[in-house]
Amino acid sequence: MSHRLTPAELYPAGVVGVDVRFIRLVTGVTVRVAESGPMDGVPLVMLHGWGGSLYMWRYAFDILPAFGIRAIGVDLRGFGLSDRPREHDAYTLDAYCAEVDALFDALDIARGALLGHSMGGALALHYALRRPGRVSRLALINPAGLTRLLYPTVARAIPRAAMAAISERVVTRTLIRFVLRRLVYWDSSKVTEQDVDQYWSPTQLPGFVHAASETLRTFDWHPVGAAAESLAMPTMVVLGRNDRLIRHERAAAARLPNVAVHDLAGGHGVHEERPRDVYELVGPFVR
């Protein structure tokens, strides 16, 4: 039976081979981190999209270790089971980049690969531009940061006072099912009730609406533009050609230096719809 999951029931609860821990970073924020694969493998830090959690990397934890990769997923601040700071400047690009830097330090990664999806893709892209010496390879899945998006502009038009009056109860399970089936996935038949529970349950924790709205309002969603020409590391972009949320990215992706662009049938969550196809691209690239 589908139900609201407790924090103890959220992925990767009961999954063999995926270890989870909470790390207090020097930024003052405690984040949840999950890992699989050999500790001496190539480190790959995975950054999820807006409103998500490390659950979206569930297939990566299973597939990537076979390529000798240490797969590391994190709940970004404000999401999953990580802290939800209340300060208005807690969800800026600067704050998130500082957190990635602190996470690399906490995990004792001097230099590693980054994989980002959607908003996490924009964060990975910006971080790679700011800290090229720390990023060995950059992989992006339907990333923000390459083309202009409408919904952050709409979110910024809503007064903060109005958003503060909204509680987590407005984020219903029915709404999350609709978003997954009609916006995130192209093939809605692949969305399970377990997926809905895993995505919906963290949204019911106190502070989610504040974190989600402040991220839409204050994160830098603008295209990186010409700045991307200075990317110093090999880059791969995987695009779901049926993405309903971010469109017309292929031309911008193809202009990145030293890039391989892969276009697959699938939606915004192509890595969840076609995990084997996506991670058999990511694995050799990272390795």
Side-chain angles (χ1 to χ4, degrees):
M1 179 181 294
S2 299
H3 66 288
R4 176 179 170 181
L5 303 174
T6 67
E9 293 175 308
L10 290 174
Y11 178 90
V15 177
V16 176
V18 181
D19 299 320
V20 66
R21 55 180 165 146
F22 289 83
I23 302 176
R24 180 75 170 179
L25 301 176
V26 296
T27 57
V29 171
T30 297
V31 296
R32 184 176 68 140
V33 175
E35 298 184 56
S36 71
M39 286 300 294
D40 60 351
V42 179
L44 172 65
V45 175
M46 304 181 292
L47 309 176
H48 64 75
W50 178 83
S53 71
L54 58 80
Y55 176 72
M56 72 166 48
W57 304 119
R58 59 197 179 280
Y59 299 112
F61 290 120
D62 180 49
I63 297 171
L64 292 180
F67 293 94
I69 293 172
R70 176 189 175 194
I72 305 162
V74 58
D75 285 342
L76 295 171
R77 60 165 59 196
F79 302 106
L81 295 182
S82 291
D83 283 351
R84 294 169 165 80
R86 297 295 301 184
E87 298 84 3
H88 290 326
D89 63 350
Y91 299 98
T92 63
L93 175 61
D94 287 346
Y96 277 114
C97 282
E99 204 126 282
V100 176
D101 222 25
L103 181 63
F104 268 57
D105 290 341
L107 296 171
D108 197 26
I109 300 173
R111 191 166 182 263
L114 270 182
L115 169 62
H117 169 254
S118 195
M119 177 193 130
L123 174 55
L125 179 57
H126 280 286
Y127 184 78
L129 288 168
R130 293 184 179 195
R131 301 281 276 151
R134 300 207 78 167
V135 181
S136 58
R137 290 188 172 240
L138 177 65
L140 308 172
I141 301 173
N142 289 332
L146 293 180
T147 57
R148 191 168 301 279
L149 303 178
L150 176 62
Y151 42 90
T153 303
V154 173
R156 284 192 292 270
I158 302 173
R160 277 196 170 97
M163 292 303 302
I166 299 175
S167 76
E168 280 66 35
R169 284 178 294 181
V170 304
V171 188
T172 64
R173 191 175 184 281
T174 299
L175 174 62
I176 297 301
R177 183 192 290 111
F178 173 84
V179 169
L180 290 174
R181 290 185 174 178
R182 301 304 177 193
L183 297 177
V184 176
Y185 279 58
W186 175 251
D187 183 354
S188 62
S189 69
K190 293 187 176 181
V191 178
T192 68
E193 291 305 303
Q194 177 182 340
D195 294 333
V196 177
D197 287 340
Q198 289 282 351
Y199 272 101
W200 172 64
S201 297
T203 72
Q204 301 305 290
L205 298 173
F208 171 82
V209 169
H210 172 80
S213 62
E214 283 298 307
T215 304
L216 281 178
R217 186 184 298 274
T218 64
F219 186 81
D220 187 354
W221 296 92
H222 296 95
V224 295
E229 296 174 6
S230 65
L231 276 177
M233 69 291 299
T235 302
M236 182 178 75
V237 181
V238 178
L239 300 175
R241 70 175 66 109
N242 311 110
D243 191 341
R244 295 182 175 103
L245 291 175
I246 302 179
R247 299 174 179 270
H248 312 302
E249 285 192 290
R250 184 170 181 83
R255 287 194 294 269
L256 298 176
N258 197 16
V259 69
V261 180
H262 302 276
D263 191 333
L264 303 178
H268 192 60
V270 65
H271 57 307
E272 297 181 83
E273 293 182 77
R274 301 180 59 179
R276 181 65 61 180
D277 292 333
V278 170
Y279 293 122
E280 287 188 352
L281 294 170
V282 173
F285 171 77
V286 171
R287 183 184 59 189

